[in-house]
Amino acid sequence: MKVKIWGARGSVPSPGPETVRYGGNTSCVQVTLDDGTLLILDAGTGIRGMGIALAAEAARVHIIVTHLHLDHIQGLMFFAPAFRSESEITIWGPASPEASLRDRIARYISAPLSPVEVRELPCEVAFRDCPETEWEIGTAHLRAASVTHRGPTLGYRITADDCSLAYIPDHEPAIGASLENDEPDWISGFDLARGASLLVHDCQYTDAEYADHVGWGHSGLSDTLTFARRTEVERLLLFHHDPMHSDDFLDTFYGSALEGWAERGGDPVALELATERREIELSAATDPLGSR
Amino acid sequence: MSQKPIELILARNLLSSLTTPAFLVDDHGALVFYNDAAATLVGRRFEERGQMAASDWTEQFGPADPEGRPVSWEDLPLTKALFAGRAIHSKMHLKVLDGTVHEIEVSALPIFATGGTRGAMAIFWPVEDGPQAGGPK
């Protein structure tokens, strides 16, 4: 299983010289399985560059969105395969009693926000509510579960090729809970992350910033590290960087993260900050340094 | 033990912050949480007891109607809210560990979500004690 980061920024795109190293595009992660199955996790602005890079023959793709906040769907309209008639795109997302997934996404891909309507897309596009039970795409087994964030939001666990990826980019498991002491079944997202080869997890704030953002649906550094250690993941990728955090700030932040990780008994090679275009290859016995 | 639905996790987070006694049951009626304010009624913190099957907590807490007759599990406001799918408000009595009986008012609400019923919560007002600490004076 290959994982490639196309956007790791949270909330709003933040391009510019201050963010050029970690990147300013919002959430998008490409997962390519050994059998060639292509999964795209979230459709933030990072999906634009990915669409350009994808070979034209990659006609069948699955886009799996965690929720419909703009930073997770904004790139959909700029995803090149959506404008090719031979493409078959399936968009998976959280169900809602309020409206279908198609209608909720169409609020963005419609006037006055968009010059294009969903029905005008030349590709074949289908919208599917994520099942409550595990389902399969290619050789991947997928599991979705609601997690603590604002509005209907899913986290995912993808198991394939003898390894597992947990993707919970927008998550505040610590709100009203004790991550150190609560039983696992009472911690949001615990089962998704448990023992994963790689956990990609929200880490938008420093601890000091989090104190001013409790209830906004995102995690502070200490909570993310504690969650990862409690769930015993093999590797942790800190994700959903705050748009106010420059590259220099994130470098310092990473230093703090390594200290906190070590205090919790974590191996430093198993922790990193998500960076645009970073590729990680997971295998059954994941080499913590296995990357390109 | 399997992961609790997010709606129960969030309900527990809310109830654990309240100074009003409150119970939380899952979709089978098992008592999965009560808060510290409720612990003052039933005599022991939830963390000391843990999760309880419907028959167990009904028997131990001895819910009774205003005339002192035991209330069966099926007739409890919490159970009615869970299985009838509507809000219930009523008066009843609770017998606690020290043997004393407390008259209480109960409001019970079912918890619905995409995919079905997740459980129900009940909030209690001890009638004889007047307004709750932290509540309206």
Side-chain angles (χ1 to χ4, degrees):
Chain A
M1 182 190 293
K2 292 177 184 169
V3 177
K4 183 168 183 177
I5 308 300
W6 289 93
R9 191 65 58 171
S11 306
V12 70
S14 51
E18 303 85 3
T19 58
V20 73
R21 282 190 287 117
Y22 289 96
N25 282 303
T26 61
S27 303
C28 182
V29 174
Q30 176 182 355
V31 179
T32 309
L33 306 184
D34 290 352
D35 72 344
T37 300
L38 178 62
L39 309 175
I40 302 169
L41 302 176
D42 278 327
T45 59
I47 201 173
R48 190 189 71 85
M50 181 192 164
I52 294 168
L54 273 183
E57 58 267 25
R60 180 174 294 179
V61 297
H62 294 265
I63 301 173
I64 302 163
V65 298
T66 52
H67 62 306
L68 305 191
H69 286 167
L70 200 55
D71 55 325
H72 294 256
I73 62 168
Q74 191 177 358
L76 273 176
M77 267 198 346
F78 305 95
F79 183 50
F83 295 88
R84 291 201 286 260
S85 60
E86 65 273 24
S87 297
E88 294 176 30
I89 299 174
T90 304
I91 300 176
W92 302 81
S96 167
E98 178 230 344
S100 70
L101 182 63
R102 179 192 178 97
D103 287 350
R104 283 176 287 141
I105 287 178
R107 288 175 188 158
Y108 166 54
I109 308 180
S110 62
L113 298 178
S114 160
V116 178
E117 306 280 333
V118 171
R119 65 175 180 276
E120 294 177 308
L121 293 173
C123 67
E124 189 174 308
V125 59
F127 296 84
R128 303 281 299 274
D129 291 345
C130 285
E132 293 219 325
T133 54
E134 189 173 286
W135 80 103
E136 295 177 10
I137 299 175
T139 53
H141 296 263
L142 292 94
R143 186 148 50 89
S146 294
V147 295
T148 308
H149 186 56
R150 287 194 169 186
T153 303
L154 299 173
Y156 293 103
R157 184 183 181 99
I158 299 167
T159 306
D161 307 334
D162 297 321
C163 53
S164 53
L165 167 68
Y167 178 70
I168 319 178
D170 291 51
H171 192 207
E172 188 180 10
I175 187 166
S178 168
L179 295 180
E180 291 88 357
N181 301 316
D182 281 354
E183 308 94 321
D185 52 321
W186 282 104
I187 295 175
S188 168
F190 198 101
D191 264 7
L192 291 175
R194 191 194 305 261
S197 311
L198 175 66
L199 168 64
V200 179
H201 195 275
D202 187 331
C203 191
Q204 177 142 348
Y205 302 124
T206 65
D207 290 344
E209 289 169 334
Y210 179 66
D212 293 328
H213 296 83
V214 172
W216 287 42
H218 298 290
S219 287
L221 175 59
S222 290
D223 292 334
T224 301
L225 299 178
T226 300
F227 179 82
R229 292 299 294 158
R230 282 269 341 247
T231 53
E232 299 180 336
V233 299
E234 292 177 21
R235 303 176 67 176
L236 171 63
L237 195 60
L238 304 179
F239 196 78
H240 210 273
H241 308 314
D242 190 278
M244 296 296 288
H245 290 177
S246 67
D247 289 333
D248 291 344
F249 185 97
L250 287 174
D251 287 341
T252 305
F253 186 64
Y254 182 50
S256 303
L258 284 171
E259 287 176 17
W261 188 242
E263 287 167 9
R264 290 165 176 79
D267 183 343
V269 300
L271 174 72
E272 59 179 291
L273 260 63
T275 304
E276 248 178 73
R277 309 294 172 115
R278 173 88 165 98
E279 289 182 80
I280 298 171
E281 185 153 359
L282 303 178
S283 58
T286 300
D287 171 4
L289 296 173
S291 60
R292 283 185 288 169
Chain B
M1 201 169 285
S2 63
Q3 178 91 60
K4 298 289 188 294
I6 191 67
E7 296 81 10
L8 285 191
I9 292 175
L10 292 172
R12 175 178 169 155
N13 293 350
L14 170 65
L15 299 183
S16 65
S17 306
L18 301 183
T19 55
T20 315
F23 277 31
L24 181 66
V25 298
D26 68 11
D27 58 340
H28 299 296
L31 182 65
V32 293
F33 181 70
Y34 58 79
N35 62 10
D36 285 351
T40 64
L41 284 178
V42 303
R44 193 183 294 178
R45 297 187 73 233
F46 178 79
E47 288 72 16
E48 299 169 40
R49 280 184 190 273
Q51 184 166 323
M52 301 169 76
S55 56
D56 293 343
W57 69 266
T58 309
E59 183 182 323
Q60 289 200 30
F61 299 152
D65 67 15
E67 282 71 48
R69 293 180 297 243
V71 178
S72 68
W73 179 71
E74 293 81 3
D75 292 328
L76 290 173
L78 197 50
T79 314
K80 284 184 177 175
L82 178 65
F83 293 111
R86 61 188 178 89
I88 303 286
H89 184 85
S90 69
K91 279 188 177 179
M92 53 187 273
H93 293 74
L94 275 185
K95 182 180 70 187
V96 298
L97 280 184
D98 65 4
T100 60
V101 176
H102 295 252
E103 184 183 14
I104 57 172
E105 287 186 276
V106 185
S107 290
L109 300 167
I111 299 171
F112 295 129
T114 303
T117 304
R118 302 301 194 205
M121 66 172 85
I123 300 178
F124 300 82
W125 287 267
V127 174
E128 66 267 33
D129 292 344
Q132 289 299 293
K137 305 293 186 206

